Amino acid sequence: MADYINKQVIELNKVNEENQNRATRSVKTETHLSDNRGNETAEKDPLQTSYNTLTKERDQLQTSYNTLTKERDQLQKKIDDLMSKFSNLMKKPWTESREDCLERGANLVIVNSDMEQQFLFGLNKRAWIGLTDSVTQGTWKWVDGTPLTTPSYWHSQQPDNGGHNPAKWDEDCVELNTETWRPVKAWNDLSCLLNRYWICEKVV
């Protein structure tokens, strides 16, 4: 009987020891997992902080970019407006253009040769030249009083006096059209009241 009791006590001690071992292993495992989670959190926090900082900087840069883009567009509009005003200041009707030349001791340009026509065309400006039929309709004369003979550089179907449309002004002055026509076919009769650039020529 005593042997049986001793055996039961020994078995019970073994069971208790195993349970204690399991409990110890479980505590160690939980402690290890807890430590790992702590390490992961500690590692994650600086990364999250860096991400948040970079995101904030990105948003600030985007805001700055949008502001600069808006300012650039506003400046471009101001430049365009100023250029338009400046361009209009540099354009005048035919008579005022001639007066400006005369004040400079010159006159509106008289085209005497192919070379001169090519040179003037290269200025790339729609500009008045010194040719008009304002005195006698259909009789074209240069500003020095000489009649137009040759060479002449009328565009196709020009001069047309505005297509002979009575509702339109007479087209008594000549512009050099460099925007759409070829150098040797670049003259166009036009209303003297319109604003154009002009080309002065001074005889030396």
Side-chain angles (χ1 to χ4, degrees):
M1 186 68 178
D3 289 340
Y4 174 77
I5 292 172
N6 287 335
K7 285 181 181 178
Q8 292 297 319
V9 170
I10 290 169
E11 290 295 328
L12 184 59
N13 288 337
K14 285 182 179 179
V15 169
N16 287 336
E17 186 177 346
E18 287 179 5
N19 287 337
Q20 286 178 355
N21 289 338
R22 285 198 192 99
T24 301
R25 284 197 299 270
S26 177
V27 169
K28 287 181 179 178
T29 301
E30 289 178 2
T31 302
H32 179 68
L33 290 173
S34 177
D35 288 343
N36 285 343
R37 289 193 192 100
N39 291 337
E40 288 175 2
T41 302
E43 290 175 359
K44 186 178 178 182
D45 285 345
L47 289 174
Q48 185 66 45
T49 301
S50 295
Y51 174 79
N52 293 340
T53 301
L54 289 172
T55 301
K56 185 177 180 181
E57 290 177 355
R58 180 204 63 191
D59 293 342
Q60 290 173 341
L61 286 171
Q62 185 64 49
T63 301
S64 297
Y65 173 79
N66 293 340
T67 302
L68 289 171
T69 300
K70 185 177 180 180
E71 290 176 355
R72 180 204 63 191
D73 293 343
Q74 290 173 343
L75 284 172
Q76 187 61 52
K77 186 177 185 304
K78 288 181 180 179
I79 290 171
D80 292 342
D81 291 343
L82 287 172
M83 289 299 293
S84 177
K85 290 177 181 178
F86 178 74
S87 179
N88 288 333
L89 286 174
M90 298 299 292
K91 293 180 180 179
K92 293 182 179 182
W94 189 89
T95 300
E96 291 181 23
S97 299
R98 187 184 181 192
E99 288 173 355
D100 177 79
C101 291
L102 292 171
E103 289 173 3
R104 301 168 186 267
N107 213 331
L108 286 172
V109 66
I110 297 172
V111 183
N112 296 308
S113 67
D114 292 350
M115 184 179 295
E116 187 174 17
Q117 173 70 11
Q118 292 276 1
F119 171 78
L120 296 175
F121 191 87
L123 298 176
N124 199 31
K125 296 289 185 184
R126 291 187 69 164
W128 293 123
I129 62 174
L131 187 62
T132 179
D133 71 343
S134 57
V135 176
T136 303
Q137 186 66 44
T139 301
W140 295 95
K141 291 186 177 182
W142 294 106
V143 287
D144 66 355
T146 59
L148 173 65
T149 52
T150 55
S152 64
Y153 303 97
W154 294 109
H155 184 61
S156 177
Q157 301 181 352
Q158 300 296 327
D160 67 352
N161 197 35
H164 305 288
N165 184 347
K168 295 181 71 176
W169 293 318
D170 285 340
E171 296 187 341
D172 294 335
C173 297
V174 179
E175 68 160 346
L176 181 68
N177 185 335
T178 62
E179 293 183 3
T180 56
W181 298 341
R182 294 176 291 123
V184 296
K185 297 291 182 181
W187 288 1
N188 175 45
D189 64 331
L190 204 63
S191 168
C192 303
L193 301 176
L194 295 177
N195 290 326
R196 288 291 185 268
Y197 296 101
W198 65 98
I199 304 169
C200 297
E201 178 181 57
K202 187 172 185 177
V203 178
V204 294

